[in-house]
mmCIF file of all heavy atoms in Angstrom:
data_model
loop_
_atom_site.group_PDB
_atom_site.id
_atom_site.type_symbol
_atom_site.label_atom_id
_atom_site.label_comp_id
_atom_site.label_asym_id
_atom_site.label_seq_id
_atom_site.Cartn_x
_atom_site.Cartn_y
_atom_site.Cartn_z
ATOM 1 N N LEU A 743 59.372 109.856 24.313
ATOM 2 C CA LEU A 743 59.835 111.243 24.409
ATOM 3 C C LEU A 743 59.126 112.143 23.407
ATOM 4 O O LEU A 743 58.880 113.317 23.666
ATOM 5 C CB LEU A 743 61.351 111.313 24.184
ATOM 6 C CG LEU A 743 62.227 110.745 25.295
ATOM 7 C CD1 LEU A 743 63.687 110.774 24.887
ATOM 8 C CD2 LEU A 743 62.018 111.520 26.599
ATOM 9 N N PHE A 744 58.790 111.597 22.241
ATOM 10 C CA PHE A 744 58.089 112.357 21.208
ATOM 11 C C PHE A 744 56.853 111.578 20.763
ATOM 12 O O PHE A 744 56.891 110.348 20.723
ATOM 13 C CB PHE A 744 58.996 112.592 19.989
ATOM 14 C CG PHE A 744 60.282 113.290 20.310
ATOM 15 C CD1 PHE A 744 61.448 112.564 20.470
ATOM 16 C CD2 PHE A 744 60.326 114.666 20.458
ATOM 17 C CE1 PHE A 744 62.652 113.193 20.767
ATOM 18 C CE2 PHE A 744 61.517 115.316 20.755
ATOM 19 C CZ PHE A 744 62.681 114.579 20.918
ATOM 20 N N PRO A 745 55.763 112.260 20.435
ATOM 21 C CA PRO A 745 54.559 111.565 19.976
ATOM 22 C C PRO A 745 54.832 110.780 18.697
ATOM 23 O O PRO A 745 55.583 111.240 17.832
ATOM 24 C CB PRO A 745 53.563 112.699 19.703
ATOM 25 C CG PRO A 745 54.086 113.877 20.479
ATOM 26 C CD PRO A 745 55.578 113.723 20.492
ATOM 27 N N GLN A 746 54.253 109.580 18.597
ATOM 28 C CA GLN A 746 54.390 108.800 17.372
ATOM 29 C C GLN A 746 53.795 109.567 16.185
ATOM 30 O O GLN A 746 54.357 109.621 15.109
ATOM 31 C CB GLN A 746 53.688 107.445 17.530
ATOM 32 C CG GLN A 746 53.780 106.543 16.313
ATOM 33 C CD GLN A 746 55.206 106.063 16.069
ATOM 34 O OE1 GLN A 746 55.927 105.779 17.009
ATOM 35 N NE2 GLN A 746 55.613 106.010 14.818
ATOM 36 N N LYS A 747 52.612 110.153 16.434
ATOM 37 C CA LYS A 747 51.983 110.990 15.412
ATOM 38 C C LYS A 747 52.454 112.414 15.669
ATOM 39 O O LYS A 747 51.818 113.182 16.376
ATOM 40 C CB LYS A 747 50.457 110.885 15.507
ATOM 41 C CG LYS A 747 49.704 111.648 14.432
ATOM 42 C CD LYS A 747 48.201 111.461 14.609
ATOM 43 C CE LYS A 747 47.402 112.214 13.558
ATOM 44 N NZ LYS A 747 45.939 112.034 13.746
ATOM 45 N N SER A 748 53.605 112.745 15.082
ATOM 46 C CA SER A 748 54.201 114.054 15.330
ATOM 47 C C SER A 748 53.536 115.115 14.456
ATOM 48 O O SER A 748 52.831 114.800 13.495
ATOM 49 C CB SER A 748 55.700 114.015 15.047
ATOM 50 O OG SER A 748 56.383 113.302 16.055
ATOM 51 N N SER A 749 53.776 116.364 14.808
ATOM 52 C CA SER A 749 53.157 117.464 14.075
ATOM 53 C C SER A 749 54.209 118.491 13.678
ATOM 54 O O SER A 749 55.285 118.565 14.282
ATOM 55 C CB SER A 749 52.077 118.127 14.927
ATOM 56 O OG SER A 749 52.637 118.680 16.109
ATOM 57 N N ILE A 750 53.890 119.259 12.671
ATOM 58 C CA ILE A 750 54.768 120.334 12.217
ATOM 59 C C ILE A 750 53.883 121.451 11.654
ATOM 60 O O ILE A 750 52.866 121.179 11.002
ATOM 61 C CB ILE A 750 55.771 119.822 11.157
ATOM 62 C CG1 ILE A 750 56.759 120.931 10.767
ATOM 63 C CG2 ILE A 750 55.056 119.279 9.929
ATOM 64 C CD1 ILE A 750 57.904 120.420 9.895
ATOM 65 N N HIS A 751 54.266 122.681 11.937
ATOM 66 C CA HIS A 751 53.480 123.816 11.466
ATOM 67 C C HIS A 751 53.644 123.968 9.953
ATOM 68 O O HIS A 751 54.744 123.777 9.416
ATOM 69 C CB HIS A 751 53.928 125.106 12.166
ATOM 70 C CG HIS A 751 52.887 126.182 12.148
ATOM 71 N ND1 HIS A 751 52.682 126.988 11.049
ATOM 72 C CD2 HIS A 751 51.982 126.568 13.076
ATOM 73 C CE1 HIS A 751 51.703 127.831 11.296
ATOM 74 N NE2 HIS A 751 51.253 127.599 12.531
ATOM 75 N N VAL A 752 52.556 124.258 9.286
ATOM 76 C CA VAL A 752 52.576 124.400 7.829
ATOM 77 C C VAL A 752 53.618 125.418 7.377
ATOM 78 O O VAL A 752 54.252 125.261 6.333
ATOM 79 C CB VAL A 752 51.167 124.793 7.310
ATOM 80 C CG1 VAL A 752 51.207 125.123 5.820
ATOM 81 C CG2 VAL A 752 50.174 123.672 7.576
ATOM 82 N N SER A 753 53.834 126.451 8.179
ATOM 83 C CA SER A 753 54.791 127.501 7.811
ATOM 84 C C SER A 753 56.224 126.982 7.714
ATOM 85 O O SER A 753 57.081 127.622 7.101
ATOM 86 C CB SER A 753 54.732 128.650 8.813
ATOM 87 O OG SER A 753 55.124 128.211 10.104
ATOM 88 N N LYS A 754 56.507 125.803 8.314
ATOM 89 C CA LYS A 754 57.857 125.242 8.291
ATOM 90 C C LYS A 754 58.061 124.259 7.141
ATOM 91 O O LYS A 754 59.174 123.754 6.950
ATOM 92 C CB LYS A 754 58.154 124.544 9.627
ATOM 93 C CG LYS A 754 58.185 125.494 10.809
ATOM 94 C CD LYS A 754 58.519 124.759 12.094
ATOM 95 C CE LYS A 754 58.570 125.719 13.283
ATOM 96 N NZ LYS A 754 58.873 125.019 14.559
ATOM 97 N N LEU A 755 57.000 123.981 6.397
ATOM 98 C CA LEU A 755 57.095 123.044 5.287
ATOM 99 C C LEU A 755 57.733 123.701 4.058
ATOM 100 O O LEU A 755 57.885 124.920 3.992
ATOM 101 C CB LEU A 755 55.705 122.512 4.928
ATOM 102 C CG LEU A 755 54.985 121.706 6.016
ATOM 103 C CD1 LEU A 755 53.571 121.376 5.556
ATOM 104 C CD2 LEU A 755 55.760 120.434 6.353
ATOM 105 N N GLU A 756 58.057 122.864 3.070
ATOM 106 C CA GLU A 756 58.601 123.359 1.821
ATOM 107 C C GLU A 756 57.597 124.311 1.157
ATOM 108 O O GLU A 756 56.386 124.093 1.249
ATOM 109 C CB GLU A 756 58.896 122.199 0.869
ATOM 110 C CG GLU A 756 59.907 121.202 1.392
ATOM 111 C CD GLU A 756 59.311 120.082 2.215
ATOM 112 O OE1 GLU A 756 58.302 120.313 2.944
ATOM 113 O OE2 GLU A 756 59.847 118.971 2.155
ATOM 114 N N PRO A 757 58.073 125.362 0.488
ATOM 115 C CA PRO A 757 57.175 126.353 -0.125
ATOM 116 C C PRO A 757 56.130 125.739 -1.050
ATOM 117 O O PRO A 757 54.963 126.130 -1.025
ATOM 118 C CB PRO A 757 58.138 127.264 -0.904
ATOM 119 C CG PRO A 757 59.428 127.143 -0.172
ATOM 120 C CD PRO A 757 59.492 125.728 0.317
ATOM 121 N N GLU A 758 56.537 124.752 -1.867
ATOM 122 C CA GLU A 758 55.599 124.141 -2.811
ATOM 123 C C GLU A 758 54.473 123.423 -2.072
ATOM 124 O O GLU A 758 53.290 123.562 -2.420
ATOM 125 C CB GLU A 758 56.323 123.158 -3.724
ATOM 126 C CG GLU A 758 57.422 123.776 -4.560
ATOM 127 C CD GLU A 758 58.739 123.890 -3.807
ATOM 128 O OE1 GLU A 758 58.807 123.466 -2.627
ATOM 129 O OE2 GLU A 758 59.706 124.435 -4.390
ATOM 130 N N LEU A 759 54.845 122.643 -1.065
ATOM 131 C CA LEU A 759 53.845 121.906 -0.305
ATOM 132 C C LEU A 759 52.964 122.858 0.495
ATOM 133 O O LEU A 759 51.745 122.666 0.605
ATOM 134 C CB LEU A 759 54.526 120.898 0.635
ATOM 135 C CG LEU A 759 53.598 120.053 1.512
ATOM 136 C CD1 LEU A 759 52.600 119.272 0.670
ATOM 137 C CD2 LEU A 759 54.410 119.109 2.397
ATOM 138 N N ARG A 760 53.583 123.891 1.045
ATOM 139 C CA ARG A 760 52.830 124.891 1.808
ATOM 140 C C ARG A 760 51.771 125.545 0.914
ATOM 141 O O ARG A 760 50.611 125.692 1.314
ATOM 142 C CB ARG A 760 53.797 125.939 2.353
ATOM 143 C CG ARG A 760 53.176 126.919 3.327
ATOM 144 C CD ARG A 760 54.239 127.650 4.110
ATOM 145 N NE ARG A 760 55.070 128.480 3.266
ATOM 146 C CZ ARG A 760 56.407 128.382 3.198
ATOM 147 N NH1 ARG A 760 57.047 127.488 3.906
ATOM 148 N NH2 ARG A 760 57.098 129.187 2.411
ATOM 149 N N ALA A 761 52.152 125.891 -0.286
ATOM 150 C CA ALA A 761 51.207 126.512 -1.218
ATOM 151 C C ALA A 761 50.102 125.537 -1.603
ATOM 152 O O ALA A 761 48.922 125.914 -1.712
ATOM 153 C CB ALA A 761 51.950 126.986 -2.466
ATOM 154 N N GLN A 762 50.486 124.291 -1.787
ATOM 155 C CA GLN A 762 49.503 123.259 -2.159
ATOM 156 C C GLN A 762 48.470 123.064 -1.057
ATOM 157 O O GLN A 762 47.265 122.968 -1.329
ATOM 158 C CB GLN A 762 50.246 121.949 -2.427
ATOM 159 C CG GLN A 762 49.354 120.771 -2.796
ATOM 160 C CD GLN A 762 50.171 119.499 -2.987
ATOM 161 O OE1 GLN A 762 51.271 119.535 -3.540
ATOM 162 N NE2 GLN A 762 49.633 118.392 -2.512
ATOM 163 N N ILE A 763 48.924 123.044 0.198
ATOM 164 C CA ILE A 763 48.013 122.853 1.325
ATOM 165 C C ILE A 763 47.097 124.063 1.486
ATOM 166 O O ILE A 763 45.892 123.919 1.710
ATOM 167 C CB ILE A 763 48.813 122.589 2.620
ATOM 168 C CG1 ILE A 763 49.505 121.229 2.529
ATOM 169 C CG2 ILE A 763 47.903 122.645 3.852
ATOM 170 C CD1 ILE A 763 50.464 120.938 3.665
ATOM 171 N N HIS A 764 47.651 125.251 1.365
ATOM 172 C CA HIS A 764 46.844 126.472 1.492
ATOM 173 C C HIS A 764 45.791 126.556 0.389
ATOM 174 O O HIS A 764 44.688 127.055 0.603
ATOM 175 C CB HIS A 764 47.743 127.706 1.450
ATOM 176 C CG HIS A 764 48.420 127.972 2.759
ATOM 177 N ND1 HIS A 764 49.596 128.686 2.866
ATOM 178 C CD2 HIS A 764 48.104 127.607 4.024
ATOM 179 C CE1 HIS A 764 49.961 128.760 4.138
ATOM 180 N NE2 HIS A 764 49.071 128.106 4.860
ATOM 181 N N GLU A 765 46.141 126.025 -0.773
ATOM 182 C CA GLU A 765 45.184 126.031 -1.880
ATOM 183 C C GLU A 765 44.037 125.054 -1.609
ATOM 184 O O GLU A 765 42.881 125.343 -1.907
ATOM 185 C CB GLU A 765 45.900 125.649 -3.175
ATOM 186 C CG GLU A 765 44.995 125.710 -4.413
ATOM 187 C CD GLU A 765 45.747 125.374 -5.688
ATOM 188 O OE1 GLU A 765 46.989 125.462 -5.679
ATOM 189 O OE2 GLU A 765 45.090 125.010 -6.668
ATOM 190 N N GLN A 766 44.380 123.897 -1.019
ATOM 191 C CA GLN A 766 43.365 122.886 -0.714
ATOM 192 C C GLN A 766 42.485 123.315 0.455
ATOM 193 O O GLN A 766 41.265 123.173 0.420
ATOM 194 C CB GLN A 766 44.040 121.541 -0.378
ATOM 195 C CG GLN A 766 44.760 120.906 -1.550
ATOM 196 C CD GLN A 766 45.511 119.656 -1.134
ATOM 197 O OE1 GLN A 766 45.483 119.237 0.020
ATOM 198 N NE2 GLN A 766 46.207 119.054 -2.083
ATOM 199 N N ASN A 767 43.163 123.811 1.514
ATOM 200 C CA ASN A 767 42.429 124.195 2.722
ATOM 201 C C ASN A 767 43.221 125.267 3.465
ATOM 202 O O ASN A 767 44.121 124.951 4.244
ATOM 203 C CB ASN A 767 42.198 122.979 3.621
ATOM 204 C CG ASN A 767 41.236 123.265 4.752
ATOM 205 O OD1 ASN A 767 41.072 124.410 5.167
ATOM 206 N ND2 ASN A 767 40.607 122.229 5.279
ATOM 207 N N PRO A 768 42.892 126.529 3.260
ATOM 208 C CA PRO A 768 43.649 127.642 3.870
ATOM 209 C C PRO A 768 43.619 127.647 5.400
ATOM 210 O O PRO A 768 44.464 128.284 6.026
ATOM 211 C CB PRO A 768 42.945 128.893 3.318
ATOM 212 C CG PRO A 768 42.193 128.423 2.122
ATOM 213 C CD PRO A 768 41.802 127.009 2.400
ATOM 214 N N SER A 769 42.677 126.940 6.000
ATOM 215 C CA SER A 769 42.542 126.975 7.460
ATOM 216 C C SER A 769 43.516 126.033 8.163
ATOM 217 O O SER A 769 43.686 126.105 9.380
ATOM 218 C CB SER A 769 41.108 126.624 7.866
ATOM 219 O OG SER A 769 40.801 125.288 7.511
ATOM 220 N N ILE A 770 44.144 125.139 7.423
ATOM 221 C CA ILE A 770 45.066 124.175 8.040
ATOM 222 C C ILE A 770 46.366 124.879 8.443
ATOM 223 O O ILE A 770 47.042 125.485 7.609
ATOM 224 C CB ILE A 770 45.381 123.011 7.081
ATOM 225 C CG1 ILE A 770 44.124 122.190 6.807
ATOM 226 C CG2 ILE A 770 46.470 122.105 7.676
ATOM 227 C CD1 ILE A 770 44.353 121.038 5.836
ATOM 228 N N GLU A 771 46.702 124.800 9.727
ATOM 229 C CA GLU A 771 47.928 125.419 10.232
ATOM 230 C C GLU A 771 48.961 124.388 10.671
ATOM 231 O O GLU A 771 50.158 124.681 10.718
ATOM 232 C CB GLU A 771 47.598 126.347 11.404
ATOM 233 C CG GLU A 771 46.730 127.547 11.020
ATOM 234 C CD GLU A 771 46.519 128.487 12.198
ATOM 235 O OE1 GLU A 771 46.977 128.155 13.311
ATOM 236 O OE2 GLU A 771 45.900 129.551 11.999
ATOM 237 N N VAL A 772 48.486 123.188 11.018
ATOM 238 C CA VAL A 772 49.381 122.137 11.503
ATOM 239 C C VAL A 772 49.090 120.848 10.736
ATOM 240 O O VAL A 772 47.925 120.524 10.492
ATOM 241 C CB VAL A 772 49.186 121.887 13.015
ATOM 242 C CG1 VAL A 772 50.047 120.717 13.490
ATOM 243 C CG2 VAL A 772 49.540 123.146 13.805
ATOM 244 N N VAL A 773 50.144 120.133 10.342
ATOM 245 C CA VAL A 773 49.970 118.838 9.693
ATOM 246 C C VAL A 773 50.664 117.766 10.541
ATOM 247 O O VAL A 773 51.487 118.083 11.411
ATOM 248 C CB VAL A 773 50.538 118.838 8.258
ATOM 249 C CG1 VAL A 773 49.739 119.777 7.375
ATOM 250 C CG2 VAL A 773 52.018 119.213 8.252
ATOM 251 N N TYR A 774 50.337 116.510 10.252
ATOM 252 C CA TYR A 774 50.808 115.407 11.091
ATOM 253 C C TYR A 774 51.518 114.355 10.238
ATOM 254 O O TYR A 774 51.261 114.223 9.040
ATOM 255 C CB TYR A 774 49.634 114.778 11.833
ATOM 256 C CG TYR A 774 48.896 115.781 12.714
ATOM 257 C CD1 TYR A 774 47.867 116.573 12.178
ATOM 258 C CD2 TYR A 774 49.250 115.958 14.030
ATOM 259 C CE1 TYR A 774 47.217 117.521 12.954
ATOM 260 C CE2 TYR A 774 48.597 116.901 14.834
ATOM 261 C CZ TYR A 774 47.589 117.666 14.278
ATOM 262 O OH TYR A 774 46.958 118.602 15.050
#
């Protein structure tokens, strides 16, 4: 019913992690 390798939009992540990801790679919009 759901992919084993699921995805979530960066905007829905915790603020700290979201900031960390944007700092590493601003182009990333979806993580797995």
Side-chain angles (χ1 to χ4, degrees):
L743 289 175
F744 303 99
Q746 181 68 38
K747 184 179 180 180
S748 287
S749 62
I750 184 171
H751 202 279
V752 173
S753 63
K754 295 182 179 179
L755 297 174
E756 299 88 326
E758 300 84 1
L759 179 57
R760 188 164 64 236
Q762 179 182 321
I763 292 172
H764 281 156
E765 184 178 340
Q766 293 175 1
N767 190 335
S769 65
I770 295 179
E771 295 184 356
V772 176
V773 294
Y774 301 87

